[in-house]
Amino acid sequence: MVRRVLLIGFLSAFGLCGCGGGGPTPVAIGGKLTWEDGTPIEGATVQFSPKSEKEGGRLASGFSGADGSFTLTTTNAGDGALPGEYVVLVKKIKVFDGGEDPGKMDPTKAMKAFFEKQGKGAKSEKSDIPAAYSSVGTSPLKWKVEGARTDVALKVQKLKS
């Protein structure tokens, strides 16, 4: 009897701690990143930064491949973004030396490679993406994640010469 009470108490506590994944589920988000003229942007980081973390939002990110396509990751590779409103950030940081298509890379592995490279004294190349797209306060790109899988078309203006 004591064991049964302890087992029920343990299972109740385990269920209350949220370990069973009772929170919001990410919505699969993929899309295409292009210049305003439709040319794909390869090797850029696309980040969905939540407008409000109080509403349960979490950063989601991905990398654009050769054709500009990307898939977002919040927790597990390719799982998407949690429902909510986001400011979309686009940054182009030299992380890749060729070989693997950045759009198909696991963001966690890619960022680890980037930080290792930075630790060895590698310098970032100047980005051709305007700086306004890399800040939550200035990015003109916004997106609301809701419902089912969404394909996002993001267009970025080029730097004015």
Side-chain angles (χ1 to χ4, degrees):
M1 179 68 175
V2 171
R3 284 186 181 170
R4 181 177 294 159
V5 171
L6 289 174
L7 179 60
I8 291 171
F10 174 76
L11 292 175
S12 297
F14 186 78
L16 292 175
C17 78
C19 301
T25 303
V27 175
I29 303 284
K32 200 161 198 172
L33 178 65
T34 63
W35 295 111
E36 58 196 343
D37 67 2
T39 306
I41 301 174
E42 177 181 9
T45 303
V46 176
Q47 293 181 324
F48 276 42
S49 182
K51 281 190 174 180
S52 172
E53 291 186 23
K54 291 178 185 176
E55 296 175 14
R58 290 185 60 192
L59 183 72
S61 62
F63 296 103
S64 60
D67 64 352
S69 64
F70 64 90
T71 303
L72 293 181
T73 295
T74 295
T75 308
N76 300 311
D79 65 353
L82 294 174
E85 293 186 42
Y86 292 86
V87 176
V88 181
L89 307 178
V90 179
K91 304 172 187 180
K92 196 163 184 184
I93 305 169
K94 182 70 174 167
V95 179
F96 315 102
D97 294 324
E100 191 170 355
D101 181 355
K104 294 186 172 91
M105 290 185 76
D106 177 349
T108 305
K109 289 180 185 175
M111 291 313 292
K112 182 179 177 190
F114 169 73
F115 288 118
E116 285 175 358
K117 191 174 184 181
Q118 291 295 38
K120 294 178 183 171
K123 295 185 180 181
S124 295
E125 294 178 8
K126 185 174 179 180
S127 176
D128 47 355
I129 295 175
Y133 289 95
S134 66
S135 172
V136 170
T138 58
S139 178
L141 303 173
K142 315 283 188 247
W143 198 267
K144 185 172 185 177
V145 175
E146 53 190 352
R149 175 168 171 80
T150 304
D151 290 315
V152 180
L154 300 174
K155 292 194 181 285
V156 173
Q157 293 181 351
K158 288 188 178 187
L159 282 173
K160 306 253 191 271
S161 302

